[in-house]
Amino acid sequence: MSHTNFNPSTFTAGAVGGSLTLAGAFVGAVQSAAERNTANQWARYNRDQVEKFLNVSELLREHAVRRAERAEAELDALNRLALKRAGVLVRR
């Protein structure tokens, strides 16, 4: 045992705890700044511009839904074809 009573595991635990405390504070500050910037960014636009943004967003969402529906239909058709070829699916 050293004359300084240095305990490496206690030192490590303290260092890790201190690092986590500093990291938590940093993350909290970054999140606060991001929220503040997000809240203020809409103040730059007038009502017409915001409505246009929302309309474009809705059109993009509708397009994504239609695309997903087409992909699901295509996948269903391919699965049916595979089952038919395997002799599992009987014609109606």
Side-chain angles (χ1 to χ4, degrees), residues 2-90:
S2 163
H3 68 282
T4 60
N5 271 345
F6 180 75
N7 186 336
S9 44
T10 303
F11 177 80
T12 301
V16 168
S19 297
L20 290 174
T21 301
L22 289 174
F26 179 72
V27 168
V30 169
Q31 285 177 335
S32 293
E35 288 172 6
R36 187 175 56 251
N37 287 341
T38 301
N40 292 336
Q41 79 182 15
W42 290 106
R44 298 184 284 198
Y45 302 106
N46 64 37
R47 181 183 173 95
D48 290 337
Q49 290 171 321
V50 172
E51 285 179 0
K52 286 178 185 175
F53 296 153
L54 292 174
N55 288 339
V56 168
S57 174
E58 183 65 19
L59 288 172
L60 289 172
R61 188 193 66 76
E62 287 176 11
H63 175 71
V65 167
R66 283 193 304 269
R67 189 173 177 197
E69 288 171 347
R70 283 193 308 268
E72 286 176 8
E74 244 180 83
L75 180 61
D76 186 47
L78 288 172
N79 285 336
R80 287 183 171 278
L81 182 61
L83 290 173
K84 184 178 176 182
R85 287 183 179 166
V88 177
L89 190 63
V90 179

